[in-house]
Each structure stands twice: as structure tokens, then as C-alpha cells.
């Protein structure tokens, strides 16, 4: 299951430029975007709701809701933050205050003008929300400096603060949505390129062109239907049969199959920091996984190369932490390598003191996911660890993870554009007792890890930050709150060749936007998508 399906995607910080997403296209050359047309786009799950203040946002939530509700900040192709609904964001010298100037002449689709007090009310609602309050914890207060300017006062320096406003916590809704959150969950209203038309739970969501959109000439499409198709194989079959125009997938066989049909389909893959890691999330607050020896045994028993060969068609690279080797933040060394003998020895040592090692592993019922879970179960059994598998739907799995009602679960995570984006998932301040909502779902409390995360968050010096995140990786490899497997660069969007503009959007200032982000299935904006034939 994807961390994108967790509470929110916390992206923060800047990074060097990454290569563009890999694309394959045999489509004939086009003269340029054309207005009109309808797109049917298959997503992997239904949204939990469309209200950014109250509802858990997953990749599909950002795809659907993002057509209607926009954020204050966007991310450029080079990973840097750029103002979106905001005209500018300016830090104080110590980075403990940020001033947000709201872009003028923007209205919500209900006719209300966007103002500083509406932005302030949204941010205050996010800080009060049980869902997102923890991520807003460093914020002390919001002040209205003038009708179009909001000052954010922080408890500590935060050099990457604007990235908090590029995700769920920065998405802005009108006063009516803040006053009636239940209606906003079902019928979203925003400043975006499309307006809500229809929603049928577990079936479809339909949006239509906003004729009063503030970005002149956009969007290109007249209508988008998001078709909810949870089963990976069904999505691929529906695309091939012509029932949808585009799908998200993480199956290597889909990349191979549709990639070979270049005259009919294009394949767009997320790359670089936008790629998450496939892993097993461990609850370090409950036995037997509260014993670091057990966690190290699980890591030593995990044959990552076999997983990649069996499940990924050899297309991915082994992961030994939250960042891949091509990341500027990567530091090598120290991860427990595959060593079945060492794993077995650790298991016997623990068993001599505490008895047999048994725990439950949670998975969504998707056949593709279950294949990986069963493979891990077999590897751990060979080391002497008894693992039972329990299936849960995505919503239940998420709730169990954040409340601590689990021992281990399959997981993907860590696709933020900078390491600070992972702060809330690792820092001990966010590790709450079992039963309480905890963004640090492993519940690991490690002083050295947390101190390094603080240093990376507060320092504007790149060398200091790199050293801090090297320490983060060292502590993760020592304490093993996650059993890392591989970097999921098989996540892709596959579309008919008539669908244009995927991963090619331009921001209001003229810079290219981040093409695709999130894993295992990436998402992207729809504002500048168009169809070359209707």
C-alpha cells in the first residue's frame, strides 16, 4: 500500500534537477494543444473524500481533487518550490517567519474572491484539524498583515516551510466549504481549472471545464471522468479494450506490454526523488518487533534481488534506505545485507530468551501486492519466523497503521522532493503511544535520529544538511524500523497516444512543473492535458 494513501504527502526542501520522466511515444507530431474533448482516466482507488481539511488524501485524491482545489505552492521540475495561488513567499532572516502574499484577481467557482483572510482561515482550519494538526505543529500563529498578505510565525526555523503548502495542507477552499465540511467532502469547490459535476462512490467522479479559470486559455479539456478500478489487471484490460484513455500502474508487465505498442500508447514513468521505496513498515512499540534483533533478522532474511527478479522483471534497484543512490542526499553503507545464516542466528538468540517469534503481516487484497507479501512470508519462515497474513482494505490498513493496531504491513513511502519532507514520519515527536494517531507509524523513538532531522530542518547550509541526513540513514539502518526492499521506478501512467500533456505542465511563472510524483502509482496535474482527436 502507498504512503500517498496516508494522511498527506509532506514534501519539503529543494534539490538539484532530476532527469525528466521516461516516456515512450509513437504518436504523430501535433501542432499544439487544442481545446475540447473528454478524458476517461482510471484511478486505483476511490477517494476518502474531497475536503483537504478533513479527509485523508491519497494519490487518487490528489488526482481527482486537484482538478478543482489548488494549493498555495507548486513544485517545479527541478524540485524547487514555486508560488501558485500565492504570488510570493518570503522568509525572515532566521527562517522562523514566512510572509505569504496572495495572488490577486482569483475567484472560487462559487464567485467568492480569494483573499488573505480566506487563506488565513484555511491554514487555521488545517492547524485545528485532527488529521493535519501534527504536521502544522511547528507553526505558532497566523497573522493577517494586509487584505492580501498572511504572516506565518513559527516555533523554530524551517527552511523548507513552503513545501508544506504544496500538498493537502496548502490547498485552499472557500468559506462555504470551511463552514460545511461534510458537503465539501462530497462536492468540492475551489479555484481550479475544473468544477464538480458528479460523484458516484466506488464508481466514478466527473469534473467539467471551469469557464472562469484564472489562468487564461486553460484548461484544454471539456470534461474528465475518473473511473475507479482498484484491480491492477482490470485497469490494464480496460485500457486495452478502449474503456478508458489512461491508467496508473506499477506492474512491470504493463510497462513491457504497452511500451512495445508505441503507435497506440505512451508510457510515462516517475523518476529520481519522485520515486518511493517498497518496504515493510514495522511497529517498534509492540512485541516481538520491539526487539531490534528481530527487526535486524527480518532485514537479513530479505533477499531483495530475488524480489526484484520475481516481482519487478529486474527493472528496479535494491533499496537500503529512503533515498536512492542517484539522490544528492544518499549516504552508503551499514544496511543489513541478505544473510540467512545471520538472520537464523538472531532468531535463535531471541527464541532462547523469549520463545518463538510470531507476528501478523497486513496487506491489501490486490493480487500483485499479495504476491510480494507471500514471498516475504516465505523468506522469513526460512529464518525461523512465523508470519501470518491478514488482508485489509486500504482504509482499514491506513487506520491500523496510524493508530498502531498492527505489527507489520507492506508499505511504500519517501517520495518527497527533499529529506525534510520525511520529518514527521521519522521524528520521535510524532511517535505516539499505541492507540493514538501517530504520523511516525513505526513509533521508533531515537534521540540521534531526531536530532539529525532537526539539524536538517533548521539549517540553510547544504553541507550541514547532507551530514544530518547521512546520520538519519545510519540510524535507520541500525534500528531497522523499516525493512527496505527496492525503489519503485516501475510506477507509471500509460495512456492512449491521443492523450497529450502528461507530465508536461507549465507553472504560472513559465517554469516546467514536476512531471510525475508519488508511488507506486504516480499522479500529475490535469490542467494542461489535451486530446489530439475527438
Amino acid at each position: 500500500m502507498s504512503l500517498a494513501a496516508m494522511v498527506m504527502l509532506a514534501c519539503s526542501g529543494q534539490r538539484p534537477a532530476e532527469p525528466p520522466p521516461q516516456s515512450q511515444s509513437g504518436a504523430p507530431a501535433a501542432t499544439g494543444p487544442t481545446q475540447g474533448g473528454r478524458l476517461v482516466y482510471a484511478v486505483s482507488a476511490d477517494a476518502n473524500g474531497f475536503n483537504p481539511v478533513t479527509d485523508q488524501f491519497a494519490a487518487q485524491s490528489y488526482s481527482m481533487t486537484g482538478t478543482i482545489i489548488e494549493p498555495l505552492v507548486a513544485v517545479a521540475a527541478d524540485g524547487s518550490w514555486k508560488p501558485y495561488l500565492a504570488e510570493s513567499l518570503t522568509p525572515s532572516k532566521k527562517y522562523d517567519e514566512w510572509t505569504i502574499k496572495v495572488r490577486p484577481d482569483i475567484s472560487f467557482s462559487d464567485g467568492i474572491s480569494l483573499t488573505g483572510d480566506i487563506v488565513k482561515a484555511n491554514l487555521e482550519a488545517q492547524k485545528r484539524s485532527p488529521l493535519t494538526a501534527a504536521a502544522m505543529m511547528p507553526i505558532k500563529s497566523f497573522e493577517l498583515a494586509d487584505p492580501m498578505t498572511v504572516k506565518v510565525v513559527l516555533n523554530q526555523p524551517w527552511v523548507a516551510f513552503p513545501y508544506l503548502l504544496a500538498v493537502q495542507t496548502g490547498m485552499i477552499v472557500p468559506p462555504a466549504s470551511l463552514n460545511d465540511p461534510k458537503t465539501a467532502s462530497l462536492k468540492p469547490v475551489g479555484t481550479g481549472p475544473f468544477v464538480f459535476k458528479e460523484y458516484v462512490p466506488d464508481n466514478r467522479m466527473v469534473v467539467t471545464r471551469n469557464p472562469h479559470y484564472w489562468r487564461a486559455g486553460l484548461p484544454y479539456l471539456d470534461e474528465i471522468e475518473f473511473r475507479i478500478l482498484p484491480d491492477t489487471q482490470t485497469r490494464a484490460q480496460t485500457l486495452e479494450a478502449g474503456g478508458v484513455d489512461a491508467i496508473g500502474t506499477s506492474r512491470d508487465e504493463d510497462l513491457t506490454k504497452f511500451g512495445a505498442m508505441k503507435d497506440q500508447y505512451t508510457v510515462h514513468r516517475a523518476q529520481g526523488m519522485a520515486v518511493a521505496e517498497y518496504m515493510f513498515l514495522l511497529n517498534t512499540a509492540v512485541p516481538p518487533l520491539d526487539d531490534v534483533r528481530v527487526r535486524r533478522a527480518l532485514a537479513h532474511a530479505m533477499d531483495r534481488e530475488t524480489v526484484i527478479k520475481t516481482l519487478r522483471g529486474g527493472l528496479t534497484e535494491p533499496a537500503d534506505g529512503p533515498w536512492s543512490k542517484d539522490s544528492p542526499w544518499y549516504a552508503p553503507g551499514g544496511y543489513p545485507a541478505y544473510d540467512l545464516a545471520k538472520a537464523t542466528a538472531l532468531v535463535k538468540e531471541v527464541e532462547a530468551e523469549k520463545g518463538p517469534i510470531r507476528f501478523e503481516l497486513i496487506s491489501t487484497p490486490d493480487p500483485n501486492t499479495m504476491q510480494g507479501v507471500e514471498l516475504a512470508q516465505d523468506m522469513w519462515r526460512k529464518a525461523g519466523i512465523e508470519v501470518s497474513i491478514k488482508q485489509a482494505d486500504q482504509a482499514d490498513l491506513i487506520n491500523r497503521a496510524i493508530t498502531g493496531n498492527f505489527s507489520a504491513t507492506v508499505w511504500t513511502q519517501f517520495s518527497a522532493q527533499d529529506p525534510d519532507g520525511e520529518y514527521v514520519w521519522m521524528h520521535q515527536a510524532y511517535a505516539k503511544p499505541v492507540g493514538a494517531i501517530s504520523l511516525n507509524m513505526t513509533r521508533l523513538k531515537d534521540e540521534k535520529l531526531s536530532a539529525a532531522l532537526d539539524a536538517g530542518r533548521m539549517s540553510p547550509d547544504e553541507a550541514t544538511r547532507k551530514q544530518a541526513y547521512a546520520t538519519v540513514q545510519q540510524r535507520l539502518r541500525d534500528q531497522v524500523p523499516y525493512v527496505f526492499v527496492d525503489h519503485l521506478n516501475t510506477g507509471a501512467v500509460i495512456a492512449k497516444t491521443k492523450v497529450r500533456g502528461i507530465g508536461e505542465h507549465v507553472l504560472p511563472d513559465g517554469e516546467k512543473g514536476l512531471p510525475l510524483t508519488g508511488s507506486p502509482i504516480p499522479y500529475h496535474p490535469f490542467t494542461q492535458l489535451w486530446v489530439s482527436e475527438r
Side-chain angles (χ1 to χ4, degrees):
M1 93 127 262
S2 170
L3 182 71
M6 239 306 291
V7 177
M8 55 173 280
L9 290 180
C11 301
S12 60
Q14 300 188 18
R15 65 178 176 86
E18 297 287 351
Q22 294 179 6
S23 298
Q24 298 173 339
S25 175
T31 57
T34 58
Q35 293 280 351
R38 185 174 190 271
L39 175 70
V40 183
Y41 193 100
V43 293
S44 61
D46 199 356
N48 181 256
F50 306 111
N51 187 342
V53 178
T54 61
D55 299 323
Q56 295 174 353
F57 270 30
Q60 67 272 8
S61 305
Y62 282 101
S63 292
M64 292 188 276
T65 312
T67 61
I68 298 171
I69 303 174
E70 297 179 307
L72 290 166
V73 171
V75 181
D78 66 355
S80 62
W81 62 265
K82 298 294 178 182
Y84 202 82
L85 289 182
E87 185 174 67
S88 64
L89 290 91
T90 307
S92 63
K93 290 183 178 180
K94 294 182 179 180
Y95 289 89
D96 58 356
E97 291 183 359
W98 285 83
T99 300
I100 304 169
K101 187 173 180 60
V102 180
R103 194 181 295 272
D105 303 320
I106 295 178
S107 295
F108 296 95
S109 60
D110 64 1
I112 301 296
S113 295
L114 177 65
T115 60
D117 59 340
I118 291 177
V119 168
K120 178 175 177 286
N122 271 262
L123 296 176
E124 288 173 337
Q126 293 282 3
K127 187 165 174 58
R128 291 192 304 267
S129 171
L131 183 69
T132 55
M136 310 281 280
M137 193 164 60
I139 299 173
K140 183 185 296 183
S141 65
F142 303 100
E143 302 172 6
L144 190 65
D146 65 47
M148 297 297 286
T149 306
V150 179
K151 185 169 75 171
V152 182
V153 182
L154 304 173
N155 293 311
Q156 64 185 66
W158 192 353
V159 298
F161 165 74
Y163 286 82
L164 183 72
L165 307 182
V167 290
Q168 180 173 354
T169 40
M171 297 177 77
I172 305 300
V173 299
S177 296
L178 294 176
N179 295 331
D180 187 359
K182 289 185 178 180
T183 298
S185 289
L186 297 174
K187 297 180 178 180
V189 177
T191 61
F194 295 89
V195 296
F196 176 83
K197 178 181 179 181
E198 178 187 26
Y199 172 57
V200 180
D202 298 317
N203 184 285
R204 67 185 179 275
M205 178 194 186
V206 182
V207 298
T208 59
R209 188 177 190 272
N210 179 358
H212 306 296
Y213 185 47
W214 60 277
R215 296 187 66 184
L218 296 175
Y220 299 126
L221 294 169
D222 288 333
E223 184 172 282
I224 304 172
E225 176 185 337
F226 292 97
R227 189 80 56 80
I228 300 161
L229 298 174
D231 184 76
T232 306
Q233 185 173 349
T234 299
R235 285 198 303 279
Q237 291 172 341
T238 306
L239 175 64
E240 191 170 16
V244 298
D245 300 312
I247 66 170
T249 185
S250 59
R251 296 198 309 172
D252 62 284
E253 56 261 49
D254 291 338
L255 302 186
T256 302
K257 179 179 181 178
F258 291 102
M261 296 185 281
K262 296 181 180 181
D263 292 336
Q264 298 172 264
Y265 303 97
T266 58
V267 177
H268 310 265
R269 291 171 63 181
Q271 296 291 311
M273 292 284 284
V275 173
E277 283 62 54
Y278 173 76
M279 70 195 78
F280 292 92
L281 176 70
L282 309 181
N283 188 344
T284 67
V286 299
L289 298 174
D290 57 347
D291 191 322
V292 69
R293 294 173 297 177
V294 175
R295 304 197 299 269
R296 289 171 182 161
L298 294 175
H300 281 304
M302 176 59 59
D303 186 347
R304 294 174 289 166
E305 295 289 353
T306 294
V307 173
I308 291 169
K309 180 180 179 181
T310 305
L311 303 182
R312 316 281 191 241
L315 295 177
T316 62
E317 294 292 330
D320 58 3
W323 305 298
S324 60
K325 292 180 180 179
D326 62 354
S327 165
W329 308 103
Y330 178 77
Y335 188 77
Y338 173 60
D339 188 330
L340 186 57
K342 187 173 289 187
T344 303
L346 285 168
V347 169
K348 290 182 177 179
E349 180 182 322
V350 174
E351 283 184 335
E353 298 176 18
K354 303 178 180 180
I357 301 174
R358 303 186 180 95
F359 65 88
E360 181 181 81
L361 175 62
I362 310 175
S363 172
T364 54
D366 177 74
N368 207 40
T369 304
M370 280 297 298
Q371 187 178 5
V373 169
E374 290 169 352
L375 186 57
Q377 179 191 40
D378 183 62
M379 290 178 180
W380 291 336
R381 179 190 56 78
K382 291 176 181 176
I385 300 172
E386 182 181 332
V387 178
S388 60
I389 298 173
K390 179 179 177 61
Q391 293 185 1
D393 63 31
Q394 181 170 285
D396 182 43
L397 191 152
I398 294 167
N399 288 331
R400 291 185 63 165
I402 63 177
T403 59
N405 183 22
F406 79 107
S407 293
T409 181
V410 63
W411 205 254
T412 65
Q413 193 170 354
F414 307 133
S415 59
Q417 296 306 297
D418 178 278
D420 183 74
E422 318 303 353
Y423 185 98
V424 298
W425 316 122
M426 300 179 189
H427 198 284
Q428 62 187 11
Y430 295 87
K432 305 302 180 183
V434 171
I437 292 177
S438 178
L439 293 185
N440 180 343
M441 290 160 286
T442 70
R443 288 167 167 78
L444 177 69
K445 294 186 176 182
D446 186 85
E447 292 282 353
K448 293 180 180 179
L449 173 63
S450 298
L453 289 166
D454 286 333
R457 165 160 286 192
M458 294 188 287
S459 176
D461 179 67
E462 184 174 348
T464 299
R465 300 188 78 220
K466 284 189 175 182
Q467 182 56 53
Y469 294 121
T471 300
V472 167
Q473 291 166 86
Q474 186 272 322
R475 296 308 296 165
L476 292 177
R477 292 161 182 164
D478 180 76
Q479 293 299 302
V480 200
Y482 313 94
V483 175
F484 290 101
V485 182
D486 63 338
H487 303 289
L488 285 177
N489 64 356
T490 54
V493 174
I494 302 175
K496 295 178 181 177
T497 52
K498 72 173 185 177
V499 180
R500 304 301 186 90
I502 294 176
E504 298 174 1
H505 58 287
V506 177
L507 302 178
D509 65 359
E511 291 202 35
K512 292 182 178 180
L514 185 68
L516 290 88
T517 189
S519 288
I521 297 176
Y523 62 92
H524 54 84
F526 289 78
T527 309
Q528 294 164 57
L529 264 61
W530 57 286
V531 290
S532 60
E533 61 183 64
R534 302 192 293 276

